Amino acid sequence: MDDPAPISKYLGVTHHLNQFKDSSAVVTEIVFDMRVYVKSAVDDYIKRTGEKLKPATSPYAPALSPGELDKLMEQPGQHADKAASFVMKLVYAARMAVPQALTAVFRLASELSKWTADSDRKLHRLYCYLHCYGDLVLIGTFSTADREKATIVAWPDADLNSDPSTSKSTSGAFIEITANGRSIPLGWWSRKQQCTATHTCEAKIVSLAEIVKEVIPIQDLFEMALDQAVNAVHKEDNTAAMISAQQGYSPAMRGLKRTQRASIGYLKDVITAPPGEGHGSVAIEKADTATHRGDMFAKIGR
């Protein structure tokens, strides 16, 4: 056994903790670092495929014409036997400390059972991007002066059937704790919705309901840790979805099946519930689409 030392590497992620004083407060910066892990995955891809990696500014392969796409999707992928290994390494990295690649990885993971030449193309683009930007790290900062104003901020988003391989929309989300301009990331995901949404408002409502269910236990945890009420705010960029959630009903969605319709009523119950003793509120606020932090987890090409 090694001598006791501060924890730095945990579950494959190296954590760098830096602290400094700001007036009478102590500011802590935490860096979530998987650069060594990502480089190892990239090197393994190059070694096992013999591919040359080119500079790429995003993890998404360029859009093709319908004819070109159909041709590639009809051909089996050359790396089908190794695809699971290449993709699942990146799934772990994206879930732990590389959120900018999560949506691209999530989409590829859904193609493992039907790997095509187009899947090869997208996998190669993803590794090209990580070869160029695999040195990025995730950073969070908080101060002891932020305790009283600590707020859980959630950024739910959804596309509308933009994935050509399925009719179902994608829910994306980013959750952080913020105060006084500082924040620490708490979680993020990109998930295929369980039911097919027929319009944008419906897809947004489903995404909002999903993130509320995740935020409530996070809120409870921080209230216990800080021994104070902690408010939670959900940033929504779709006005129709906000109104539907606040009212608990939408005439435009009266024909929804039970699974989706229940989300609207559930949201109203949570949002309109008054804060109790030692428990903060759960609110919803309008956000600008251009700066929405959940956007990158629901859509591609941004």
Side-chain angles (χ1 to χ4, degrees), residues 76-86 112 114-116 119-120 123:
Q78 294 182 357
H79 305 314
D81 58 331
K82 304 182 286 290
S85 172
F86 292 145
L112 288 176
K114 51 183 186 302
W115 198 261
T116 67
S119 305
D120 280 343
L123 179 69

Side-chain angles (χ1 to χ4, degrees), residues 33 53 56 71 74 86 119 136 171 208 222 236:
D33 183 353
L53 302 182
K71 185 177 180 180
E74 291 171 358
F86 292 145
S119 305
L136 295 178
S171 293
L208 181 57
F222 274 94
E236 178 57 61

